[in-house]
Amino acid sequence: MRQVKVFLNEDEIPRKWYNIMADLPTPMSPPLHPGTGQPLKPEDMAQIFPMNLIEQEMSPERWIDIPEEVLEKLLLWRPSPLCRAYNFEKALNAPVKIYYKHEGTSPAGSHKPNTAVAQAYYNKEFGIKKISTETGAGQWGSALSMACNMFGIECRVFMVRVSFDQKPYRRLMMQTWGAECFSSPSSQTEVGKKILAENPDSPGSLGIAISEAIEDIMGKEDARYSLGSVLNHVLLHQTIIGLEAQQQLGKIGEYPDVVIGCAGGGSNFAGLSLPFVRDKINGKEIAIVAAEPTSCPSLTRAPFGYDFGDLAQTTPLLAMHTLGHDFVPAPIHAGGLRYHGMAPIVSHLVKERLVEARSYHQIETFDAGIKWARTEGFIPAPETSHAIAAVVEEARRAKEEGKEKVILFNWSGHGLVDLLSYDAYFSGKLTNYTLPDEEIDRAKKLVAQFPSP
Amino acid sequence: MRQVKVFLNEDEIPRKWYNIMADLPTPMSPPLHPGTGQPLKPEDMAQIFPMNLIEQEMSPERWIDIPEEVLEKLLLWRPSPLCRAYNFEKALNAPVKIYYKHEGTSPAGSHKPNTAVAQAYYNKEFGIKKISTETGAGQWGSALSMACNMFGIECRVFMVRVSFDQKPYRRLMMQTWGAECFSSPSSQTEVGKKILAENPDSPGSLGIAISEAIEDIMGKEDARYSLGSVLNHVLLHQTIIGLEAQQQLGKIGEYPDVVIGCAGGGSNFAGLSLPFVRDKINGKEIAIVAAEPTSCPSLTRAPFGYDFGDLAQTTPLLAMHTLGHDFVPAPIHAGGLRYHGMAPIVSHLVKERLVEARSYHQIETFDAGIKWARTEGFIPAPETSHAIAAVVEEARRAKEEGKEKVILFNWSGHGLVDLLSYDAYFSGKLTNYTLPDEEIDRAKKLVAQFPSP
């Protein structure tokens, strides 16, 4: 009988995260203090993040120990299975082997808890009793709620009002895990109150929600903010995905020709791919592909430069591919990919041509996701379907070239709580969006105001 | 580091289902033809089920081979992990070890696909091209949709209108897997048209939906009906759960003192417990507990007798615990436990005192389910929370008795698509229901019309 899944035993789970900082052929441009324009010092972030996570954010060490307490929680669902998609391969009728890392097996249904658990732990260690964060569709808010609950930390989530009203399921996950979830703009903060006073019907935005979450913790000794993607330490925590995958492939004597992940802020893509980028730096021949939406093409079309991570300009200036911190992406259903910027690490790797970026239209991603559900069973999240669309393209290329290929991709999460987006697809309501060139020009002008990386 | 999960490798997956018919100390009362009152003959069911499944339904063989084609599909998510609930144990502060079989890892999120895949395969083998079924909340309809899609069979699901309108998620799962899902009563059948003519606003019922599904296939050479619980062959297909669990416990040198499952039609309970019932028949000391809702107490309060499996009286007469085929259960959120009868096998085992039944109120099951989510992470389905409530009770007893106990239960499915029921809990809208004695008397009178088993 053919082998479908490769399990790792629990005692084979990676004990260290991989930090690509130690292996980059060229150094990254450091984050800058927006006031002074100088490289950021650890103490500049001390009000927002606990110092142990700030140290991790800036660490040059190649391997960083995963604390036992974190491993213990990760073991509730990790190591995640590596699976071979025989049925999908057959449907594509191309000379490819397709392996996927199944991150949908976590309690929240995505890869997000990998970093949520680690962040909650480090905050706890640092004496933090309350964490605030923002969430759009709720993937990150729900993952952090679960993690905070595990470590006895109070969790407050500011959820963009339009999602809060229209998507009750992830809000209910947060509540089930004991967090408080506020419709943002809320009356919990000054910024929220001000916006509500001006416009009681404000639908909210991620920018507003970030501002609320940060205001909510500022000046409080035992409260901090938490971010679910983009930053170095978040990507670091996700490398357990790729490290497990390398062990699992090793067990069956395989190595991928192509590694694929979808990229919004960059964390699931980096989580799978960074250990393979290391191999590439060390001479391995391997293609590493980030798949993003055509409607929000930070990697494929936007300039590389310094920009803020948020609308309210509260973050440091980060060197990254960015559509501009005030960019409003089209309302595609892959909420997790609707981010104006891209993780500095991923941006740097694209700039250095270690990673290749491609973009996909919304409808072709749903085509790919439904083909997947109808062959492999599991229903992917709309974000994950971008990676699947890239797999379909790779398979087609392999067929055209008559070349056998081994493809590995990150199945970052299931779509059971996103099924209304499938409804939109079936009822013909989905649209493709292509960004006009003027938007790119606008982004170029915006980053030109800041120092050049 | 403590071990949380026991995996089986794919080559350790059970190759045979276990049929308890071969080991029962006393014979079961056979199903009867409702017209003649005589034991049912295989040909009596030939219009409704394919003959290969009818043979399985009546088989006396202890072990029945799982076809390779079925195993191949089950391997998409099986063997499922056996997990130890250390965090839940700690929260209960009782001298118990709690193991659970995690059936929430399937694409549909529950144990239902175990039999759906097998049934779709046997129908395909028999030349069937179309399967119709009914579904309430949609757990069964979605599982069968996925399975039919895997084997290229057309699937038509009649979904009770009130759920069709209020619970779009599982309907969308069916659609994603390529099935047609009709709001029942529908205009697809004569019975549906008749009801709609009389009452265009009919909310539908499981009874109506079954009648529609059966009418939809009657008299068609290449179409058959499929049922997701109650029948012997359905329970048989679910025994893979208990067989895997026995192997997994064996690997760590454990054996349970108590085995627990929630019971609606009986399939997930039987799936885990039947292999342990066999041990009990062979002399092992073990308690086996079926947990049902207080509002629908077929095992704990209803008479044992012959009754129909459905409102429309289209099924054979089955010897079982039954609240009467026209019983309308209270609107509890555990839709999968709202069934008037109970699998004949499970009913027989309760009558023979090999299985013990207990009932739990809705609110205490949610209390237990939320305690679970807040310790172990995974959010249980409302049905599963009945089993968790029984675990809580067992732990309390162990503490009172000062006795160490090993508990094993079936974590039958996740509740991510049932989160609106958690909303009802958090907003204080949940109610407990106790069935008045008159309902039990009514059921006794009803079964008294039929032959005595």
Side-chain angles (χ1 to χ4, degrees):
Chain A
M1 215 163 50
R2 67 196 189 184
Q3 186 175 7
V4 178
K5 299 184 298 302
V6 186
F7 288 122
L8 288 184
N9 290 320
E10 294 191 343
D11 56 12
E12 298 171 297
I13 196 169
R15 303 302 179 107
K16 294 172 193 294
W17 290 300
Y18 168 62
N19 184 7
I20 197 159
M21 290 300 163
D23 291 315
L24 289 177
T26 55
M28 283 175 57
S29 306
L32 303 182
H33 191 290
T36 64
Q38 291 303 302
L40 208 68
K41 291 192 281 289
E43 54 270 32
D44 295 334
M45 293 196 279
Q47 287 246 311
I48 296 182
F49 298 109
M51 195 49 79
N52 48 8
L53 278 177
I54 295 170
E55 282 161 15
Q56 218 168 56
E57 180 70 19
M58 299 185 159
S59 170
E61 295 297 320
R62 180 173 291 119
W63 299 104
I64 294 179
D65 285 338
I66 307 177
E68 284 284 311
E69 295 86 340
V70 172
L71 280 174
E72 202 172 81
K73 300 303 180 191
L74 294 180
L75 285 179
L76 289 173
W77 71 94
R78 303 205 74 85
S80 71
L82 177 85
C83 313
R84 178 152 173 204
Y86 283 104
N87 303 295
F88 194 65
E89 288 174 14
K90 197 174 160 196
L92 295 180
N93 187 27
V96 291
K97 292 184 191 173
I98 300 172
Y99 293 95
Y100 67 101
K101 191 69 172 149
H102 190 342
E103 291 296 305
T105 61
S106 80
S110 79
H111 66 292
K112 290 284 182 195
N114 295 332
T115 184
V117 165
Q119 291 191 47
Y121 166 78
Y122 284 111
N123 273 279
K124 174 83 172 180
E125 278 296 291
F126 196 69
I128 300 305
K129 297 197 166 51
K130 184 173 93 170
I131 298 180
S132 294
T133 196
E134 77 291 333
T135 201
Q139 286 274 23
W140 170 243
S142 56
L144 188 68
S145 299
M146 183 189 80
C148 283
N149 176 69
M150 284 172 172
F151 289 103
I153 295 175
E154 187 187 338
C155 182
R156 290 159 64 89
V157 183
F158 293 86
M159 185 171 186
V160 177
R161 187 198 252 176
V162 60
S163 295
F164 185 94
D165 291 340
Q166 288 173 5
K167 301 183 176 177
Y169 281 69
R170 288 213 175 86
R171 166 170 64 78
L172 288 165
M173 287 163 75
M174 298 180 217
Q175 207 172 347
T176 302
W177 284 317
E180 280 192 282
C181 179
F182 305 102
S183 172
S184 168
S186 78
S187 55
Q188 298 284 316
T189 65
E190 292 310 316
V191 66
K193 282 182 214 164
K194 185 160 170 284
I195 292 164
L196 285 176
E198 288 164 9
N199 178 11
D201 296 327
S202 164
S205 72
L206 214 45
I208 295 170
I210 294 177
S211 305
E212 287 209 275
I214 292 181
E215 184 191 320
D216 196 47
I217 56 97
M218 283 305 272
K220 292 176 188 155
E221 192 68 27
D222 60 357
R224 290 293 185 278
Y225 169 75
S226 169
L227 196 63
S229 191
V230 180
L231 299 179
N232 300 352
H233 69 276
V234 180
L235 275 51
L236 176 82
H237 300 153
Q238 295 291 0
T239 58
I240 192 167
I241 302 172
L243 295 168
E244 285 181 6
Q246 288 187 325
Q247 279 190 72
Q248 288 164 313
L249 287 169
K251 283 196 177 200
I252 51 170
E254 288 277 21
Y255 192 87
D257 299 297
V258 191
V259 172
I260 294 170
C262 65
S267 80
N268 100 73
F269 167 73
L272 177 67
S273 68
L274 292 185
F276 293 95
V277 174
R278 180 182 188 224
D279 291 351
K280 186 165 185 166
I281 291 168
N282 291 334
K284 252 308 190 203
E285 200 172 312
I286 180 172
I288 299 174
V289 177
E292 67 180 10
T294 306
S295 57
C296 193
S298 57
L299 285 174
T300 46
R301 292 178 64 201
F304 178 84
Y306 273 109
D307 193 10
F308 292 102
D310 68 319
L311 178 71
Q313 312 194 357
T314 47
T315 71
L317 286 168
L318 303 172
M320 60 184 176
H321 281 281
T322 175
L323 291 155
H325 60 267
D326 56 354
F327 176 71
V328 180
I332 57 164
H333 286 277
L337 307 184
R338 295 177 70 240
Y339 183 65
H340 70 276
M342 180 56 67
I345 288 177
V346 176
S347 296
H348 181 80
L349 294 173
V350 168
K351 190 169 65 80
E352 297 295 315
R353 297 176 185 271
L354 286 161
V355 165
E356 178 189 338
R358 297 186 201 150
S359 71
Y360 297 92
H361 275 297
Q362 176 157 254
I363 293 176
E364 75 182 302
T365 66
F366 273 86
D367 287 340
I370 285 161
K371 188 192 281 278
W372 182 273
R374 291 188 180 173
T375 50
E376 295 295 322
F378 294 99
I379 297 175
E383 292 84 358
T384 308
S385 292
H386 285 71
I388 300 174
V391 171
V392 171
E393 187 184 7
E394 272 302 322
R396 191 174 51 234
R397 288 188 189 187
K399 199 171 174 178
E400 285 163 9
E401 296 167 15
K403 259 171 76 177
E404 288 185 14
K405 271 190 190 170
V406 176
I407 301 171
L408 167 69
F409 81 100
N410 199 358
W411 204 89
S412 56
H414 67 64
L416 296 183
V417 189
D418 306 292
L419 279 165
L420 293 181
S421 63
Y422 282 79
D423 203 16
Y425 174 86
F426 289 124
S427 52
K429 287 182 196 145
L430 280 198
T431 319
N432 287 337
Y433 302 91
T434 303
L435 208 62
D437 287 334
E438 297 81 66
E439 286 282 337
I440 305 297
D441 293 339
R442 208 187 55 87
K444 284 178 184 161
K445 278 181 205 144
L446 188 141
V447 301
Q449 320 166 37
F450 301 119
S452 182
Chain B
M1 216 163 50
R2 66 195 189 184
Q3 186 175 8
V4 178
K5 297 181 300 302
V6 186
F7 288 121
L8 288 184
N9 289 320
E10 294 191 343
D11 56 12
E12 298 172 298
I13 196 169
R15 302 302 178 110
K16 292 170 194 294
W17 291 301
Y18 168 60
N19 183 8
I20 198 162
M21 289 301 160
D23 291 314
L24 289 178
T26 56
M28 283 175 57
S29 305
L32 303 182
H33 191 288
T36 65
Q38 292 302 306
L40 207 67
K41 291 191 281 290
E43 54 270 31
D44 295 334
M45 294 196 279
Q47 287 248 309
I48 297 183
F49 298 109
M51 195 49 76
N52 49 8
L53 278 177
I54 295 170
E55 281 161 16
Q56 216 168 57
E57 179 71 18
M58 298 185 159
S59 170
E61 296 296 322
R62 180 173 291 118
W63 298 103
I64 294 178
D65 286 338
I66 307 178
E68 284 285 311
E69 294 86 343
V70 172
L71 280 174
E72 201 173 84
K73 299 303 180 191
L74 295 179
L75 285 179
L76 290 173
W77 70 95
R78 302 204 75 84
S80 70
L82 178 86
C83 312
R84 180 155 172 201
Y86 283 104
N87 304 296
F88 194 65
E89 288 174 15
K90 198 173 162 197
L92 295 179
N93 188 26
V96 291
K97 292 184 191 171
I98 299 171
Y99 293 95
Y100 67 100
K101 191 69 174 149
H102 191 340
E103 291 296 307
T105 60
S106 80
S110 78
H111 67 292
K112 290 285 183 193
N114 295 331
T115 183
V117 165
Q119 290 192 46
Y121 166 77
Y122 284 111
N123 273 279
K124 175 83 172 180
E125 277 296 291
F126 195 69
I128 300 305
K129 298 197 164 53
K130 184 173 92 170
I131 298 180
S132 295
T133 196
E134 77 289 333
T135 201
Q139 286 272 22
W140 171 242
S142 56
L144 188 66
S145 299
M146 182 190 80
C148 283
N149 174 70
M150 285 172 171
F151 289 103
I153 295 175
E154 185 188 340
C155 182
R156 290 159 64 88
V157 183
F158 292 86
M159 185 172 186
V160 177
R161 186 197 254 177
V162 60
S163 295
F164 186 93
D165 290 341
Q166 289 175 6
K167 301 184 176 174
Y169 280 68
R170 288 212 175 85
R171 168 170 64 77
L172 288 166
M173 287 163 78
M174 297 180 219
Q175 208 171 346
T176 302
W177 284 316
E180 280 191 282
C181 178
F182 305 102
S183 172
S184 168
S186 77
S187 56
Q188 298 284 315
T189 66
E190 292 310 315
V191 66
K193 282 183 212 164
K194 186 160 170 283
I195 292 164
L196 285 175
E198 287 163 9
N199 178 10
D201 296 328
S202 163
S205 73
L206 216 44
I208 295 169
I210 294 177
S211 305
E212 287 208 277
I214 293 182
E215 184 191 318
D216 196 46
I217 55 97
M218 283 304 270
K220 291 175 189 157
E221 193 68 25
D222 60 355
R224 290 292 185 278
Y225 169 74
S226 168
L227 196 64
S229 190
V230 179
L231 299 180
N232 300 352
H233 70 276
V234 180
L235 276 53
L236 175 81
H237 301 155
Q238 295 291 359
T239 58
I240 193 167
I241 302 172
L243 295 168
E244 284 180 7
Q246 288 187 325
Q247 280 190 70
Q248 287 164 314
L249 287 168
K251 283 197 177 198
I252 52 171
E254 289 278 21
Y255 192 87
D257 298 298
V258 192
V259 172
I260 293 170
C262 66
S267 79
N268 99 72
F269 167 73
L272 177 66
S273 67
L274 292 183
F276 293 95
V277 174
R278 180 182 186 221
D279 290 352
K280 187 164 185 169
I281 291 167
N282 292 333
K284 256 299 192 209
E285 202 172 310
I286 179 171
I288 299 173
V289 178
E292 65 179 12
T294 306
S295 57
C296 194
S298 57
L299 285 174
T300 47
R301 291 178 66 202
F304 179 85
Y306 273 109
D307 193 9
F308 291 102
D310 69 318
L311 178 70
Q313 312 193 356
T314 46
T315 71
L317 286 168
L318 302 172
M320 61 183 176
H321 281 280
T322 175
L323 291 155
H325 60 267
D326 56 353
F327 176 72
V328 180
I332 59 166
H333 286 278
L337 307 184
R338 294 177 71 238
Y339 183 64
H340 70 276
M342 180 56 67
I345 287 177
V346 175
S347 297
H348 182 79
L349 294 173
V350 168
K351 191 169 65 79
E352 298 294 316
R353 297 175 184 275
L354 286 161
V355 166
E356 180 188 339
R358 296 185 202 150
S359 71
Y360 297 91
H361 276 297
Q362 177 157 254
I363 293 175
E364 74 183 303
T365 65
F366 273 86
D367 287 341
I370 285 161
K371 187 191 282 280
W372 182 273
R374 290 186 180 174
T375 50
E376 295 295 324
F378 294 98
I379 298 176
E383 293 83 359
T384 307
S385 292
H386 285 71
I388 300 174
V391 171
V392 172
E393 187 184 5
E394 273 302 323
R396 190 172 55 232
R397 286 187 190 186
K399 199 171 176 178
E400 284 165 10
E401 296 167 14
K403 259 169 76 175
E404 289 184 13
K405 271 189 189 169
V406 176
I407 300 171
L408 167 68
F409 80 101
N410 199 358
W411 205 89
S412 55
H414 67 64
L416 297 182
V417 188
D418 307 291
L419 280 165
L420 294 180
S421 65
Y422 282 78
D423 202 17
Y425 174 87
F426 289 124
S427 53
K429 287 184 194 144
L430 279 199
T431 319
N432 286 338
Y433 302 92
T434 303
L435 207 62
D437 287 334
E438 297 81 66
E439 286 281 339
I440 305 297
D441 293 339
R442 208 186 55 85
K444 284 179 185 161
K445 276 181 207 145
L446 187 142
V447 301
Q449 318 165 39
F450 301 118
S452 180

